[in-house]
């Protein structure tokens, strides 16, 4: 009896801005594109859609060029405000598109410590990579059981 394995789903996402590699985004200047609460450009070109259609909330984004940091806030609770397990209600999942077919790439971020601002259950800070809130990998610092941990996870939904 033959064994048939399903190949991973492929998607093409048409968008106006496709970054060339290497793409480096620093937060010490206004880069245009998606704006923060003060009208400063974050340099990100799009926001991942969520189930509620409220994925972009500029009032929860703060580009602090003096400190060279981007402060992203989302909203939610233990039952809303996440991209995990089909919930797909994450707010301010900023992203940009790039062409990775011509060379390898790496994705990195630096979290500003100490991480005492990650203190309540399910609070997190980090990066995720993927086409949508059902298919991604994520590396983040996360608060659970009164401590802060590093979490690496992936979610894949087929079909």
């Amino acid at each position: 009896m033959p064994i048939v394995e399903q190949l991973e789903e492929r998607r093409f996402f048409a968008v106006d801005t496709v970054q060339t590699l290497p793409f480096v985004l620093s937060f010490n200047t206004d880069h245009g594109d998606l704006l923060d609460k003060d009208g400063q450009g974050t340099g990100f070109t799009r926001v991942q859609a969520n189930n509620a259609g409220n994925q972009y909330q500029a009032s929860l984004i703060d580009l602090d060029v003096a400190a060279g940091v981007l402060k992203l806030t989302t909203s939610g609770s233990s039952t809303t405000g996440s991209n995990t397990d089909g919930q797909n209600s994450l707010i301010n999942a900023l992203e940009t598109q790039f062409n990775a077919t011509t060379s390898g790439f790496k994705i990195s971020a630096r979290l500003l410590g100490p991480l005492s601002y990650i203190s309540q259950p399910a609070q997190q800070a980090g990066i995720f990579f993927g086409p949508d809130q059902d298919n991604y990998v994520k590396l983040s610092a996360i608060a659970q059981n009164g401590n802060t941990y590093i979490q690496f996870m992936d979610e894949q939904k087929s079909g």
Side-chain angles (χ1 to χ4, degrees):
M1 175 173 230
I3 297 175
V4 178
E5 291 184 22
Q6 183 176 354
L7 297 175
E8 70 263 17
E9 183 177 359
R10 300 286 185 193
R11 300 177 188 199
F12 176 72
F13 294 93
V15 63
D16 294 334
T17 304
V18 178
Q19 306 294 353
T20 57
L21 296 178
F23 174 68
V24 177
L25 190 57
S26 62
F27 301 114
N28 56 2
T29 189
D30 182 328
H31 290 285
D33 295 312
L34 285 177
L35 304 178
D36 77 343
K37 66 181 187 166
D38 303 312
Q40 298 179 98
T42 63
F44 288 97
T45 57
R46 37 190 268 173
V47 180
Q48 273 194 2
N50 69 15
N51 287 340
N54 64 350
Q55 58 269 6
Y56 176 53
Q57 297 185 18
S59 64
L60 299 175
I61 302 170
D62 185 17
L63 177 63
D64 183 344
V65 295
V69 297
L70 179 65
K71 301 172 186 174
L72 290 175
T73 305
T74 188
S75 64
S77 65
S78 61
T79 58
T80 64
S82 172
N83 59 333
T84 304
D85 295 331
Q87 194 178 108
N88 302 341
S89 56
L90 185 61
I91 294 170
N92 290 335
L94 304 185
E95 61 182 24
T96 195
Q97 185 173 359
F98 59 92
N99 181 352
T101 62
T102 58
S103 66
F105 63 92
K106 70 178 179 178
I107 300 171
S108 62
R110 182 176 51 97
L111 300 179
L112 184 62
L115 300 179
S116 54
Y117 57 91
I118 304 171
S119 59
Q120 300 301 310
Q123 284 185 332
Q124 33 188 304
I127 56 175
F128 72 97
F129 171 74
D132 58 42
Q133 292 192 25
D134 282 322
N135 301 280
Y136 62 88
V137 293
K138 175 175 78 167
L139 178 63
S140 58
I142 183 168
Q144 289 183 343
N145 303 320
N147 292 304
T148 304
Y149 301 94
I150 299 296
Q151 178 186 62
F152 178 78
M153 67 174 290
D154 76 322
E155 183 173 317
Q156 298 176 25
K157 179 181 179 184
S158 61

